[in-house]
């Protein structure tokens, strides 16, 4: 009898241990809020759809967004519970409420413990007038507002507290301005057009391609984590007077996105059940890792990881440009495809002067000639990327075995390099403290080498020792000089 009881206790304990282990395995790190914490019961709205046809809807499909990289690799991501998983991948992990009404949560934000400038916020039962508030600053200054639970009933407006918001979104950033502006604004009219489904609003602001790609990456992650689908809309806010970069590629990546000012019936008051404010490129993981000097990020090497958001975004962009990510072996015969990105003066802001343009390689012709002479079997192409359509830029990098260039925004293209390719950055000494592309290479698992151009504290024009560059190239990529 005693033996049977002990055996029964043993089997029950074993069963409980198995159940606990099974629940841990099945835990979903991206499910940030429990069902009880979400308070996201849909707000009753009319049957007036935003667009008269499906043409204006985002073509984003979450079932199709789980992209696979071509090849025989198995899917893999960061180890659960590690810094790399909680910050690099999951990112939005600390939930805090900003505004509550009598019946539900109206503004929820999610940040993290590692950077005070990364946060994403969800607004519920919100109104705005597209034609008068399409600029980011206008949205942040009362162009969007929360409605009371009922316009006709004499109920109090949502109650808002900004303590947690200010703690997790520091220094008056874009997200803090937007959320406070919405929370404090007064309704400007009754709803005339209802938007059913989720709305993702992101900033179109990007002075160059580096921040453009980081902004798109944030949008991609937001759609993945917060359940974008065919019933969702993606609206883009303007930020400054510079032209919007690469609208044709944005449509290919995310579907039929729209600028706020192009929404039909823009003079009418629009109301949305749920609006998700997507952080801009300055609040992306790769930028905050390097800018906030988060040293742990360098421990997160993405080599071989095919199911991280960083790798899935890469696959999404390649797919949008019609490129197949096939495995490319390292050449053994010296027939290496080398692409050198050159820089030429351009104006980022209205008052910029071309004479102040930084980091122009003074002896670029000498460098290209010596590369061709030193590696006669290699194909050496030098390009000004802005002379090509965006998908042509991505294709050229994707086909390269070596990508070389002076530190600058165009090196964000390293994202599209294949596994065996090398990013060879020419780093002026004045940019040593700005490891933007070393960080991006680490997180995306690309091979990287930074060649420091000594004595280059002059930020306008720089000169490189071409023979030293060639020697260093051979060290880093021996296939250039096969024996």
């Amino acid at each position: 009898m005693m033996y049977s009881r002990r055996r029964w206790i043993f089997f029950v304990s074993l069963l409980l241990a198995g159940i606990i282990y099974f629940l841990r395995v099945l835990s979903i790190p991206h499910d940030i809020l429990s069902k009880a914490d979400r308070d996201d019961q849909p707000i009753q709205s009319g049957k007036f759809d935003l667009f008269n046809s499906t043409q204006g809807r985002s073509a984003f499909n979450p079932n199709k967004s789980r992209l696979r990289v071509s090849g025989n690799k198995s899917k893999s991501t960061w180890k659960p519970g590690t810094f790399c998983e909680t910050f690099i991948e999951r990112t939005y992990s600390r939930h805090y409420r900003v505004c509550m009404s009598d019946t539900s949560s109206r503004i929820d934000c999610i940040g993290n413990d590692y950077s005070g400038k990364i946060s994403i916020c969800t607004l519920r039962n919100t109104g705005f007038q597209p034609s008068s508030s399409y600029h980011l600053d206008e949205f942040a200054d009362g162009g969007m507002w929360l409605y009371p639970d009922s316009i006709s009933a004499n109920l109090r407006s949502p109650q808002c507290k900004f303590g947690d918001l200010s703690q997790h979104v520091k220094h008056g950033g874009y997200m803090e301005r937007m959320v406070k502006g919405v929370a404090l604004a007064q309704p400007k009219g009754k709803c005339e057009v209802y938007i059913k489904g989720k709305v993702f609003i992101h900033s179109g602001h990007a002075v160059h391609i580096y921040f453009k790609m980081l902004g798109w990456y944030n949008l991609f992650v937001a759609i993945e984590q917060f359940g974008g689908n065919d019933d969702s809309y993606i609206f883009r806010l303007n930020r400054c007077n510079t032209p919007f970069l690469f609208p044709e590629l944005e449509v290919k990546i995310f579907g039929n996105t729209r600028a706020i000012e192009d929404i039909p019936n823009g003079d009418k008051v629009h109301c949305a059940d749920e609006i998700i404010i997507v952080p801009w490129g300055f609040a992306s993981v790769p930028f905050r890792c390097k800018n906030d000097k988060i040293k742990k990020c360098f421990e997160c090497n993405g080599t071989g990881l095919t199911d991280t958001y960083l790798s899935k975004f890469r696959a999404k962009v390649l797919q949008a440009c019609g490129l197949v990510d096939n495995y490319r072996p390292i050449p053994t015969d010296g027939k290496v495809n080398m692409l050198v990105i050159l820089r030429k003066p351009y104006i980022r802001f209205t008052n910029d002067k071309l004479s102040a343009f930084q980091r122009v390689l003074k002896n670029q012709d000498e460098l290209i000639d010596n590369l061709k002479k030193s590696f006669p079997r290699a194909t050496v192409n030098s390009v000004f990327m802005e002379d090509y359509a965006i998908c042509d830029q991505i294709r050229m990098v994707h086909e390269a075995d070596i990508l070389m260039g002076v530190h600058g925004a165009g090196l964000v293209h390293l994202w599209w390099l294949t596994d065996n390719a090398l990013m060879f950055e020419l780093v002026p000494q004045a940019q040593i403290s700005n490891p933007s592309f070393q960080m991006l290479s680490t997180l995306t698992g690309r091979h990287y080498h930074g060649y420091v151009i000594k004595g280059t504290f002059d930020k306008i024009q720089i000169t490189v020792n071409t023979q030293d560059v060639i020697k260093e190239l051979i060290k880093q990529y021996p296939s250039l000089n096969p024996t």
Side-chain angles (χ1 to χ4, degrees):
M1 184 73 177
M2 181 68 66
Y3 174 77
S4 299
R5 179 178 298 176
R6 288 178 179 176
R7 186 170 59 179
W8 181 81
I9 294 173
F10 171 79
F11 281 118
V12 170
S13 301
L14 187 64
L15 178 62
L16 289 175
I19 293 173
I20 293 173
Y21 176 79
F22 183 72
L23 291 175
R24 285 182 177 177
V25 171
L26 290 183
S27 64
I28 304 174
H30 301 298
D31 191 12
I32 301 163
L33 302 179
S34 67
K35 186 174 181 181
D37 287 334
R38 289 181 185 270
D39 284 331
D40 57 356
Q41 295 299 318
I43 297 168
Q44 297 298 320
S45 60
K47 297 180 180 181
F48 201 107
D49 198 7
L50 176 62
F51 302 122
N52 293 326
S53 68
T54 58
Q55 181 182 2
R57 295 185 178 225
S58 164
F60 189 90
N61 187 331
N63 297 320
K64 295 180 180 179
S65 67
R66 298 285 178 179
L67 301 174
R68 296 184 180 182
V69 180
S70 301
N72 296 322
K73 299 176 183 177
S74 60
K75 284 189 174 184
S76 55
T77 186
W78 312 105
K79 185 178 180 180
T82 63
F83 166 82
C84 300
E85 189 268 340
T86 56
F87 180 56
I88 307 299
E89 183 72 0
R90 188 145 49 101
T91 305
Y92 308 113
S93 56
R94 180 168 292 279
H95 167 235
Y96 51 98
R97 287 203 171 108
V98 179
C99 294
M100 290 286 297
S101 70
D102 290 335
T103 59
S104 63
S105 175
R106 301 296 298 281
I107 298 182
D108 284 319
C109 293
I110 308 174
N112 64 78
D113 293 324
Y114 299 101
S115 175
K117 291 194 175 182
I118 296 181
S119 190
I120 192 166
C121 295
T122 300
L123 320 176
R124 297 180 180 86
N125 198 11
T126 310
F128 63 97
Q129 191 172 18
S131 62
S132 61
S133 300
Y134 64 85
H135 195 278
L136 186 153
D137 291 330
E138 293 167 342
F139 259 74
D141 295 329
M144 183 185 291
W145 58 88
L146 296 176
Y147 278 112
D149 287 338
S150 172
I151 296 294
S152 58
N154 187 23
L155 297 178
R156 62 190 178 96
S157 297
Q159 301 299 302
C160 303
K161 297 180 180 180
F162 302 117
D164 287 338
L165 179 70
S166 298
Q167 177 183 350
H168 292 284
V169 186
K170 298 177 182 177
H171 308 304
Y174 152 68
M175 190 65 65
E176 183 186 32
R177 289 175 53 214
M178 287 283 290
V179 170
K180 284 186 176 180
V182 173
L184 298 175
Q186 295 297 316
K188 297 181 179 179
K190 293 184 178 180
C191 297
E192 299 173 278
V193 178
Y194 288 92
I195 307 174
K196 298 192 299 182
K198 293 183 185 229
V199 175
F200 294 86
I201 292 183
H202 74 107
S203 170
H205 167 53
V207 296
H208 50 53
I209 191 172
Y210 174 70
F211 286 114
K212 171 56 64 179
M213 290 300 173
L214 294 183
W216 279 346
Y217 172 70
N218 280 348
L219 177 58
F220 176 80
V221 172
I223 292 172
E224 284 263 305
Q225 289 198 5
F226 291 85
N229 53 43
D230 286 339
D231 292 324
S232 301
Y233 301 93
I234 302 173
F235 296 151
R236 173 185 6 103
L237 287 176
N238 190 16
R239 176 61 178 86
C240 56
N241 295 324
T242 54
F244 180 71
L245 297 175
F246 318 125
E248 70 283 3
L249 183 55
E250 181 171 287
V251 170
K252 288 180 180 179
I253 297 173
F254 297 107
N256 194 9
T257 64
R258 292 206 178 203
I260 285 284
E261 62 266 32
D262 294 334
I263 296 177
N265 302 310
D267 59 331
K268 298 183 181 297
V269 174
H270 289 57
C271 292
D273 290 346
E274 186 174 6
I275 292 179
I276 297 166
I277 305 295
V278 179
W280 56 7
F282 296 97
S284 65
V285 164
F287 185 74
R288 298 306 347 153
C289 272
K290 75 95 183 177
N291 219 54
D292 296 344
K293 304 296 188 294
I294 304 176
K295 294 181 179 180
K296 281 189 175 182
C297 293
F298 279 112
E299 300 174 8
C300 302
N301 192 307
T303 300
L305 302 183
T306 61
D307 205 36
T308 64
Y309 287 133
L310 289 157
S311 62
K312 287 189 290 186
F313 174 70
R314 174 180 178 273
K316 185 79 171 177
V317 173
L318 293 177
Q319 182 189 63
C321 289
L323 299 173
V324 178
D325 195 17
N326 291 326
Y327 173 77
R328 288 169 55 85
I330 298 175
T332 58
D333 54 2
K335 294 181 179 180
V336 175
N337 186 5
M338 189 185 311
L339 182 67
V340 183
I341 296 179
L342 303 177
R343 290 169 62 81
K344 63 182 178 182
Y346 73 99
I347 296 176
R348 292 187 298 173
F349 301 105
T350 304
N351 296 324
D352 275 358
K353 296 181 179 179
L354 289 177
S355 60
F357 182 76
Q358 299 181 2
R359 301 188 301 278
V360 174
L361 187 58
K362 190 175 182 180
N363 63 332
Q364 60 188 26
D365 292 339
E366 176 192 349
L367 174 63
I368 301 304
D369 289 343
N370 283 344
L371 288 172
K372 291 179 178 179
K373 291 176 182 178
S374 301
F375 310 116
R377 297 183 185 181
T379 300
V380 180
N381 292 310
S382 57
V383 295
F384 293 105
M385 282 298 202
E386 52 267 50
D387 293 341
Y388 296 86
I390 181 60
C391 277
D392 288 334
Q393 298 179 33
I394 293 170
R395 175 186 54 78
M396 287 188 289
V397 173
H398 187 59
E399 294 173 352
D401 299 303
I402 298 175
L403 177 64
M404 179 186 292
V406 176
H407 178 94
L411 298 189
V412 73
H413 280 306
L414 69 88
W415 218 323
W416 331 124
L417 290 171
T418 54
D419 288 350
N420 291 321
L422 170 67
M423 172 69 249
F424 192 94
E425 181 181 7
L426 302 174
V427 185
Q429 202 156 350
Q431 294 294 327
I432 291 177
S433 61
N434 184 12
S436 298
F437 307 107
Q438 181 184 7
M439 180 60 70
L440 184 60
S441 296
T442 299
L443 298 178
T444 58
R446 307 300 100 183
H447 298 287
Y448 172 88
H449 180 72
Y451 174 84
V452 178
I453 310 172
K454 296 179 181 179
T456 50
F457 292 100
D458 179 1
K459 295 182 178 181
I460 305 300
Q461 289 190 329
I462 58 177
T463 302
V464 67
N465 186 318
T466 59
Q467 293 304 316
D468 280 352
V469 169
I470 289 168
K471 291 178 183 178
E472 197 65 28
L473 261 178
I474 294 174
K475 289 181 183 179
Q476 300 299 321
Y477 206 91
S479 297
L480 278 168
N481 193 19
T483 55

